[in-house]
Amino acid sequence: MNRPPPHGLLRRRSVLRALGVAALRLGVPAAVLLATPQARAVAEPELATFDVSRDEDGVFLNYAVGFDLARSVDDALLKSVPLFFVAEAEIFRDRWYWRDRRVAHATRVWKIFYQPLTSTFRVTTVGGLSQNYPTRAEAIGSISRNGHWKIAETGQIEEGSRHYVEFS
């Protein structure tokens, strides 16, 4: 008799399948992400600072995130496997009669990879700007904080309405 797998097993398979698809998109093999228990034992990222400001030029976000890479991910980085990091901010207008309306969306993407010939870590943004760093800590530090990131234009925010920011 074919019985469906227990609920926990089904959820685990779907999570593994989702991680496999996401990992293939990012260029990191899923086996690297799931091979060791240390990959799952890494602490969650911690938001150290978060500040939203508004002036006549628009809405700006300042943040600092503290995080550590899992040992298996760090090993992959040292083997020149590129890692991608994404920061995403959305501004919503609060509405009591319907779902909150998204009025602005901003995304930043960074790629970090190790260059073994020069023993440097290269951080590249989607726009094509890149910078070399002598240590992994400096490369990770460069993407873990961002100041004065414009996430919305002045005209996108309605006067007298309540708005909030979702950041990931």
Side-chain angles (χ1 to χ4, degrees):
M1 177 188 317
N2 269 342
R3 298 177 70 188
H7 181 66
L9 184 60
L10 183 62
R11 178 181 294 151
R12 184 169 180 205
R13 283 186 185 158
S14 63
V15 168
L16 293 178
R17 190 174 301 120
L19 277 176
V21 170
L24 290 176
R25 280 188 190 151
L26 297 178
V28 179
V32 170
L33 293 174
L34 302 171
T36 62
Q38 293 93 350
R40 293 182 295 263
V42 174
E44 289 289 317
E46 183 178 311
L47 195 58
T49 61
F50 185 82
D51 179 46
V52 179
S53 60
R54 180 179 177 191
D55 62 18
E56 63 274 352
D57 294 331
V59 179
F60 297 92
L61 176 66
N62 302 312
Y63 69 87
V65 178
F67 64 92
D68 291 324
L69 296 178
R71 182 171 174 81
S72 58
V73 175
D74 195 32
D75 289 342
L77 179 61
L78 291 175
K79 293 177 182 170
S80 299
V81 175
L83 300 179
F84 289 82
F85 294 87
V86 178
E88 185 174 30
E90 295 179 297
I91 299 177
F92 290 90
R93 184 174 63 93
D94 194 21
R95 297 193 293 191
W96 64 270
Y97 57 89
W98 197 254
R99 291 185 329 166
D100 295 345
R101 182 172 173 250
R102 183 172 79 173
V103 295
H105 179 257
T107 304
R108 286 213 170 154
V109 179
W110 297 270
K111 177 174 82 169
I112 296 180
F113 61 95
Y114 179 67
Q115 298 175 322
L117 291 176
T118 58
S119 298
T120 59
F121 293 85
R122 184 177 203 93
V123 176
T124 306
T125 61
V126 170
L129 299 175
S130 62
Q131 173 123 14
N132 290 334
Y133 295 93
T135 65
R136 180 188 63 83
E138 288 177 304
I140 296 292
S142 71
I143 66 164
S144 66
R145 63 191 174 283
N146 204 332
H148 211 66
W149 174 26
K150 188 174 188 175
I151 59 174
E153 298 291 333
T154 305
Q156 292 176 299
I157 307 300
E158 298 174 22
E159 290 293 328
S161 297
R162 288 180 37 139
H163 294 79
Y164 63 93
V165 174
E166 288 186 359
F167 174 77
S168 62

